[in-house]
Amino acid sequence: MNAKPLLIISLALLLFACASGGSGKEIAGEVRMLHDSLMKLHDETMASHSSCLSLIDELKDLSAAAPDAGKVQIDSVRTELDYTSEIMMDWMAAYQDPVTEDTVAAGYLKEQIKAVREIARIQELNLGAARVLLKKENPE
Amino acid sequence: MKIRILFLMVPVLWSCIHRPARLPILGEMDISGGDTVFHQIPDFSFINQYGEEYNKDSIRGKIYVSDFFFTKCPTICPKMAQQLLRIHERFADDPDFRILSHSIDPKYDTTEALRKYAEKLGVGQTRTWHFLSLPKDQINETARQYLAAVQEDSTAAGGFTHTGHFLLVDGERHIRSFCDGTKAEEVDRLMKEISILLDERRLQ
């Protein structure tokens, strides 16, 4: 019996297994890295979240003391800030930690990073508008 | 006779020397009519995970640990919950002790959600640990009351929604200590301080 074809087939199978194993490890590493980035981004965004709640209260007081003409603008900024605080909570309620470490999970996490970046952008925009009205300086 | 008196004196002296340090009262203080008025957590009334009203009368005279959290938080809240579980395990049988976890997410943390969260943590039947739902318009003021003391003593970066602080409150609703609820070694220290407060209360 010629052993050569069998040896070649075995080697090919072994190489294929090694190659797929390596790629699987790479994807798992990427998923973990994306997950860490997402959680870091989430923590950074949440750091400003309580500012939204305190500025909402301050805008409420400002609106109560403002003449009718000024109330509209203050209330509109307050509504936007309220919306900002809600969308972060909505994101967390909808977010599901991936249970697998594959390309689907990596894709999902990339989408979530995009979503939180957008929330952070909206939050900063609305916090900025509120601080202008309240004549507060940006803490950074 | 002298020897007997000496023997009686030894435990008295020992207890004087080894009396645990009294914890300070934290937060702003005022002088009113010559008296010092310390910061006190004001009256409150919230709904717990059983759908019951939980208020100042529910907590009267009790020593408690307070924190702010929300059930959907994917990062620090699970770490805090693990540390609160350690505190619960150690003090759950003490009738003078409570844990009040204040949810800052009224939209998602309904009574039902809080009950399920407690069950998930394995404390579904607890009468020591109360998960309280805060109305949106009271979140900021409540957190301010609790964390005013912390903010004086530390740089509470990130605001109250994501600091992970545990506050230790005495039977008069004065804040006596706090720690980073994500760090086991800090929680170990807080547990020693809970024991000090419980001893203090029993001596009253």
Side-chain angles (χ1 to χ4, degrees):
Chain A
M1 187 183 166
N2 193 348
K4 257 190 182 175
L6 269 179
L7 190 66
I8 291 167
I9 292 167
S10 302
L11 275 171
L13 281 171
L14 190 68
L15 278 171
F16 179 74
C18 288
S20 355
S23 151
K25 267 185 193 167
E26 268 173 34
I27 290 170
E30 190 191 356
V31 167
R32 281 194 284 271
M33 195 194 71
L34 287 167
H35 185 264
D36 289 350
S37 303
L38 177 62
M39 291 303 123
K40 190 168 175 276
L41 188 60
H42 156 266
D43 281 349
E44 285 165 4
T45 313
M46 280 306 290
S48 302
H49 183 258
S50 49
S51 300
C52 290
L53 298 176
S54 56
L55 292 186
I56 287 168
D57 279 2
E58 287 182 46
L59 287 172
K60 207 182 285 177
D61 295 342
L62 187 70
S63 173
D68 285 348
K71 276 188 205 299
V72 180
Q73 191 195 2
I74 298 166
D75 291 344
S76 143
V77 172
R78 188 159 65 92
T79 308
E80 287 301 310
L81 214 49
D82 206 31
Y83 163 73
T84 301
S85 83
E86 292 252 331
I87 53 174
M88 192 62 207
M89 292 304 191
D90 288 345
W91 176 79
M92 275 181 279
Y95 173 74
Q96 297 288 328
D97 249 342
V99 286
T100 56
E101 289 183 330
D102 52 17
T103 48
V104 176
Y108 173 75
L109 289 168
K110 280 178 191 164
E111 285 302 312
Q112 299 309 307
I113 288 172
K114 264 191 218 166
V116 178
R117 277 200 185 126
E118 180 60 11
I119 292 169
R121 191 188 65 78
I122 296 169
Q123 183 170 272
E124 281 316 303
L125 206 69
N126 290 331
L127 278 172
R131 285 187 186 116
V132 167
L133 273 182
L134 291 160
K135 297 184 174 63
K136 276 177 183 276
E137 279 183 29
N138 192 321
E140 284 170 28
Chain B
M1 185 65 182
K2 264 188 185 171
I3 292 173
R4 196 179 291 170
I5 291 170
L6 201 67
F7 269 112
L8 282 172
M9 288 296 285
V10 168
V12 175
L13 281 170
W14 180 262
S15 67
C16 290
I17 294 164
H18 290 271
R19 184 183 292 175
R22 197 179 148 79
L23 298 174
I25 296 175
L26 304 178
E28 289 172 13
M29 60 176 93
D30 285 322
I31 307 289
S32 171
D35 290 328
T36 308
V37 181
F38 292 101
H39 175 74
Q40 186 183 38
I41 303 300
D43 293 355
F44 62 87
S45 177
F46 302 127
I47 302 296
N48 69 8
Q49 73 268 35
Y50 304 113
E52 303 159 346
E53 184 186 354
Y54 202 83
N55 58 27
K56 65 176 171 60
D57 295 322
S58 322
I59 204 79
R60 190 184 298 278
K62 312 274 186 216
I63 281 137
Y64 67 98
V65 169
S66 162
D67 76 318
F68 292 86
F69 83 110
F70 44 102
T71 61
K72 301 287 182 189
C73 165
T75 52
I76 67 163
C77 299
K79 290 180 196 163
M80 291 161 67
Q82 286 310 310
Q83 295 304 321
L84 282 172
L85 272 172
R86 291 179 59 216
I87 297 176
H88 182 263
E89 199 172 304
R90 176 138 163 217
F91 296 101
D93 294 333
D94 195 310
D96 293 329
F97 181 73
R98 297 285 184 270
I99 300 173
L100 305 191
S101 285
H102 301 82
S103 165
I104 56 153
D105 187 4
K107 184 173 173 183
Y108 291 102
D109 289 347
T110 57
T111 300
E112 181 65 8
L114 292 174
R115 194 180 55 73
K116 281 187 180 159
Y117 185 72
E119 277 171 10
K120 202 171 135 193
L121 288 175
V123 293
Q125 304 295 318
T126 183
R127 298 305 300 182
T128 301
W129 192 349
H130 294 264
F131 297 86
L132 305 174
S133 178
L134 269 62
K136 193 166 187 177
D137 61 354
Q138 290 182 44
I139 293 171
N140 191 51
E141 179 55 21
T142 306
R144 202 184 63 76
Q145 291 293 340
Y146 276 101
L147 294 166
V150 174
Q151 277 154 358
E152 268 184 15
D153 294 327
S154 74
T155 47
F160 65 85
T161 53
H162 231 52
T163 54
H165 279 106
F166 292 168
L167 292 304
L168 177 58
V169 185
D170 69 14
E172 307 294 318
R173 281 186 273 142
H174 294 137
I175 299 170
R176 303 291 292 274
S177 186
F178 65 89
C179 77
D180 181 338
T182 62
K183 293 185 177 143
E185 63 277 14
E186 287 217 18
V187 174
D188 289 344
R189 192 247 307 151
L190 193 80
M191 287 203 276
K192 283 180 192 157
E193 291 171 337
I194 293 169
S195 296
I196 292 173
L197 273 194
L198 287 168
D199 288 343
E200 201 179 274
R201 179 178 152 67
R202 277 171 204 128
L203 288 172
Q204 279 170 358

